[in-house]
RNA sequence: CGGGGCGUAGCGUAGCCCGGUAUCGCGCCUGCUUUGGGAGCAGGAGGUCGCCGGUUCGAAUCCGGCCGCCCCGACCA
């Protein structure tokens, strides 16, 4: 009886756990079209908070939002050779409109480089028109074979930044800057530590010069690529005649970058923090940070306690200690006829970071009883100074989540692996990140993928590299060109 | 597209082998009693048994075809 109320545990079946959690916490639901999903208010609320935090950072770094259309002429995709090769198989094509076949089919954007650089070309004459720093929030469509809620669906929501610069170095700095913005967001908001680094040739974006990424480790020890930033070089500028007249009077092609993160991050949030009781949301992204459950027996008690609960909510919401616009987000669950225990389970499933219980005993003592979602630690908090105490506790939860996730990642990261046999053992067993040498040859990368399903997640940035660089290639034993991170990935 | 599994009430299922118009749990509605970790009792609503066809007096059940979904592979934010 109680059993079917419980989730499949992570240990039993991680993938079933994830699916059940997403459905039961009402983050998302399957839509009638295979591979696409509805994002429900609980999930969309998290996405909205992600959007707001990121959008602020994009603005701070000088970007402006704009919107480019969903439909792109099919011919546009074909103008950049590797881009078309990379995306052609997963592009949805519109062939009819207004009841008639179209003269030229339209593609539904899988990403917007082509249309955006076409427009940039129209707007750019002089170096004085550069840089162009644009972001758009949009949906994109990629016809994937195998889909999973939030992690890979036919349609997803994201932002794509697109910039044009006069020089390679400026574009490079932009791509690196935005990678840093992503990393900061993922750590400070999602409390999801990431390794930043550069993608290998085979893993980079179709049409890019270089791709950088943020790689997170999920609780099943698989890697999740949570965000990418590309230095596109002049590839798209050449394909779309994006030129400008430089100071010296010569005409030159612009240098572009593009960078994006998507609703996939919601899946990352789930798989980073949640437990067998349900979702765990980092406070900064939680649509509801605090839920108050009134406890009572009689109608008389109910009246007093529910009133007190609403008073606490009002006090918390009125507190401006985090700034006038960043108020504590509080809900009172005053449903009658649902027992407190049932409410606890429900809000735990939904991932509310902090629960406050207020009953007659608490009123007598002038305190409230708190329960943390992440550690399930419980403690009484005096009513006096409650907003400050609650805000502090939420901050503690936020930082503890990041610390716990980082500790888990490090515990499952394997350095100084030099033997391929040992590597296979790790990949067949616990998995995780393996730091090892690589000769830089795509052939050895392909061999590992073929034999173990692990791929090179990135060539990590210097701060993530091992104190002593590996000397030999994990696969061939030849001298290593780079230290890379191997992992199975989503 | 290959391999595996599954379609019965909102969800999870029994029944199928051995044909007779459907079982149980959760959820939902009403009432009363409850309420500090998933409440109890009583009453009630809810079903084209995935779809089409065949066999049969009679099909959830047997036969044929089709569709859909999930999991595992080839592709990917």
């Amino acid at each position: 009886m109680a059993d079917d109320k419980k989730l499949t545990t992570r240990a039993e079946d991680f993938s079933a756990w994830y699916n059940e959690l997403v459905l039961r916490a009402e983050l998302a639901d399957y839509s009638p079209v295979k591979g696409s999903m509805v994002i429900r208010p609980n999930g969309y609320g998290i996405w909205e908070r992600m959007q707001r935090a990121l959008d602020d950072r994009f603005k701070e770094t000088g970007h402006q939002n704009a919107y480019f259309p969903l439909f792109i002429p099919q011919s546009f995709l074909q103008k950049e050779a590797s881009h078309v090769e990379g995306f052609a198989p997963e592009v949805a094509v519109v062939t009819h409109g207004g009841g008639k076949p179209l003269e030229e089919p339209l593609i539904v954007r899988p990403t917007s480089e082509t249309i955006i650089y076409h427009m940039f070309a129209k707007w750019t004459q002089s170096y004085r028109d550069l840089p162009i720093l644009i972001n758009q929030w949009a949906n994109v469509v990629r016809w994937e074979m195998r889909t999973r809620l939030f992690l890979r669906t036919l349609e997803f929501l994201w932002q794509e930044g697109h910039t044009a610069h006069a020089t390679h170095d400026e574009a490079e700095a932009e791509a690196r800057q935005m990678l840093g913005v992503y990393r900061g967001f993922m750590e400070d908001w999602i409390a999801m530590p990431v390794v930043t680094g550069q993608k290998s040739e085979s893993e980079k974006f179709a049409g890019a010069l270089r791709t950088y990424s943020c790689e997170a480790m999920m609780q099943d020890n698989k890697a999740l690529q949570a965000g990418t930033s590309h230095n596109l070089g002049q590839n798209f500028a050449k394909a779309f005649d994006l030129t400008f007249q430089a100071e010296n009077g010569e005409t030159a092609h612009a240098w572009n970058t593009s960078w994006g993160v998507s609703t996939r991050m919601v899946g990352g949030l789930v798989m980073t923090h949640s437990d067998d009781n349900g979702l765990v949301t980092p406070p900064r992204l939680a649509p509801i940070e605090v839920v108050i459950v009134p406890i009572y027996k009689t109608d008389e008690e109910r009246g007093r306690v529910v009133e007190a609960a609403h008073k606490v909510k009002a006090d918390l919401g009125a507190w401006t200690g985090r700034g006038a616009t960043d108020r504590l987000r509080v809900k009172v669950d005053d449903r009658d006829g649902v027992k407190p225990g049932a409410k606890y389970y429900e809000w735990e499933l939904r991932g509310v970071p902090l629960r406050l219980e207020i009953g007659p005993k608490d009123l007598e003592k002038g305190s409230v009883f708190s329960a943390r979602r992440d550690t399930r630690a419980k403690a009484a908090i005096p009513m006096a100074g409650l907003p400050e105490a609650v805000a502090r506790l939420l901050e503690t939860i936020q930082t503890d989540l990041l610390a716990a996730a980082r500790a888990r990642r490090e515990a499952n990261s394997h350095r100084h692996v030099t033997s391929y046999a040992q590597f296979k053992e790790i990949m067949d067993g616990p998995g995780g990140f393996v730091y090892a040498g690589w000769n830089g040859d795509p052939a050895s990368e392909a061999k590992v993928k073929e034999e173990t399903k692990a791929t090179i997640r990135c060539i990590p940035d210097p701060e993530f590299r091992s104190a002593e660089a590996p000397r030999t290639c994990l696969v061939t034993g030849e001298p290593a060109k780079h230290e890379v991170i191997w992992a199975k990935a989503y």
Side-chain angles (χ1 to χ4, degrees):
Chain A
M1 164 181 157
D3 273 3
D4 60 346
K5 293 183 176 175
K6 291 203 172 118
L7 292 169
T8 299
T9 64
R10 289 163 293 176
E12 278 172 306
D13 184 343
F14 191 83
S15 164
W17 165 81
Y18 175 82
N19 287 333
E20 283 175 28
L21 170 26
V22 168
L23 295 173
R24 297 214 3 219
E26 297 181 359
L27 300 177
D29 202 355
Y30 293 108
S31 93
V33 176
K34 180 187 164 125
S36 58
M37 68 183 232
V38 175
I39 304 176
R40 301 183 68 176
N42 292 343
Y44 202 80
I46 293 172
W47 175 239
E48 282 181 311
R49 294 200 55 80
M50 287 179 165
Q51 282 184 296
R52 193 179 311 174
L54 283 165
D55 203 61
D56 286 347
R57 291 186 175 207
F58 297 158
K59 304 274 171 61
E60 281 164 19
T61 44
H63 303 86
Q64 290 180 297
N65 284 332
Y67 186 77
F68 295 81
L70 175 69
F71 298 125
I72 300 175
Q74 191 170 42
S75 57
F76 275 35
L77 190 70
Q78 282 145 9
K79 289 190 182 181
E80 211 287 325
S82 53
H83 193 60
V84 60
E85 197 186 319
F87 279 106
E90 54 189 72
V91 162
V93 183
V94 178
T95 57
H96 288 67
K100 290 183 298 191
L102 298 174
E103 281 184 30
E104 181 185 350
L106 301 171
I107 64 165
V108 181
R109 63 179 165 220
T111 178
S112 304
E113 274 75 7
T114 59
I115 183 82
I116 289 181
Y117 300 131
H118 171 85
M119 296 310 294
F120 279 13
K122 202 169 158 183
W123 300 334
T124 308
Q125 282 86 44
S126 150
Y127 70 94
R128 292 197 173 91
D129 296 324
L130 300 177
I132 303 177
L133 305 172
I134 290 288
N135 175 64
Q136 83 163 343
W137 292 96
N139 59 339
V140 286
V141 168
R142 298 180 187 178
W143 218 263
E144 301 290 352
M145 306 283 201
R146 263 190 79 202
T147 56
R148 295 200 64 192
L149 294 167
F150 286 113
L151 302 173
R152 182 169 301 105
T153 47
L154 296 194
E155 178 189 0
F156 58 93
L157 305 182
W158 76 343
Q159 59 68 218
E160 46 182 323
H162 292 275
T163 67
H165 306 265
T167 67
H168 165 274
D169 289 358
E170 204 183 307
E172 179 68 12
E174 167 76 4
R176 294 295 317 191
Q177 173 185 239
M178 299 321 287
L179 187 74
V181 165
Y182 287 159
R183 179 191 173 181
F185 169 74
M186 289 171 192
E187 296 187 341
D188 297 343
W189 291 74
I190 314 181
M192 180 175 76
V194 293
V195 174
T196 58
Q198 187 178 341
K199 286 292 189 183
S200 67
E201 275 303 297
S202 72
E203 295 277 332
K204 79 173 187 191
F205 175 72
L209 201 59
R210 284 187 287 278
T211 291
Y212 301 105
S213 75
C214 295
E215 303 285 333
M217 188 194 288
M218 304 294 101
Q219 291 187 63
D220 61 352
N221 291 345
K222 284 170 76 172
L224 182 77
Q225 179 176 304
T228 50
S229 182
H230 317 287
N231 181 337
L232 300 173
Q234 295 175 303
N235 293 341
F236 286 92
K238 285 177 179 163
F240 290 90
D241 288 320
L242 171 47
T243 58
F244 66 97
Q245 195 168 11
E247 248 178 303
N248 63 10
E250 282 173 18
T251 299
H253 287 102
W255 299 78
N256 297 113
T257 79
S258 69
W259 26 278
V261 293
S262 72
T263 39
R264 179 180 240 203
M265 290 190 298
V266 177
L269 181 158
V270 171
M271 291 193 291
T272 298
H273 302 301
S274 301
D275 62 23
D276 294 341
N277 299 307
L279 183 65
V280 174
T281 320
R284 296 183 85 177
L285 290 176
I288 299 171
E289 293 172 283
V290 179
V291 64
I292 302 175
V293 179
I295 311 287
Y296 49 83
K297 283 193 170 68
T298 64
D299 280 350
E300 187 274 326
E301 282 180 353
R302 171 158 198 260
R304 285 158 51 207
V305 158
V306 168
E307 191 189 337
H310 282 285
K311 169 89 167 49
V312 167
K313 174 187 153 88
D315 289 349
L316 292 175
W319 186 68
T320 54
R322 291 198 309 205
T325 54
D326 185 15
R327 304 301 180 91
L328 287 161
R329 300 180 295 282
V330 183
K331 176 173 178 72
V332 176
D333 185 353
D334 56 6
R335 287 174 297 173
D336 197 16
V338 180
K339 294 183 76 167
K343 292 179 182 177
Y344 301 165
Y345 280 101
E346 183 173 331
W347 294 111
E348 281 170 8
L349 175 65
R350 290 175 185 234
V352 174
L354 186 65
R355 180 178 76 236
L356 298 181
E357 303 165 20
I358 303 181
K361 293 179 203 163
D362 304 294
L363 290 185
E364 274 170 36
K365 287 184 283 192
S367 63
V368 301
F369 197 71
S370 70
R372 284 173 64 159
R373 175 63 185 88
D374 60 334
T375 60
R376 314 193 93 202
K378 296 172 184 177
I381 306 177
M383 203 71 93
L386 187 65
E388 291 86 346
V390 164
R392 245 190 337 265
L393 189 47
L394 289 169
E395 273 174 42
T396 304
I397 292 170
Q398 183 79 34
T399 53
D400 285 359
L401 284 174
L402 177 62
R406 185 171 276 141
R408 175 174 55 73
R409 181 189 72 192
E410 289 310 304
N412 293 291
S413 292
H414 311 268
R415 292 183 187 259
H416 311 300
V417 174
T418 50
S419 118
Y420 190 44
Q422 187 193 349
F423 173 80
K424 280 182 167 166
E425 240 170 70
I426 293 170
M427 286 305 159
D428 285 343
F433 287 1
V434 171
Y435 291 70
W438 178 46
N439 64 358
D441 183 356
S444 51
E445 186 184 9
K447 174 183 151 81
V448 174
K449 185 175 180 179
E450 171 73 29
E451 293 178 359
T452 69
K453 288 174 192 127
T455 51
I456 293 176
R457 299 324 303 155
C458 69
I459 301 160
D461 286 336
E463 69 165 286
F464 297 101
R465 289 178 201 161
S466 304
E468 198 174 331
R471 302 224 173 111
T472 58
C473 173
L474 174 74
V475 191
T476 62
E478 294 167 12
K481 215 167 175 177
H482 311 282
E483 177 173 32
V484 298
I485 295 176
W486 293 95
K488 291 184 188 167
Y490 276 97

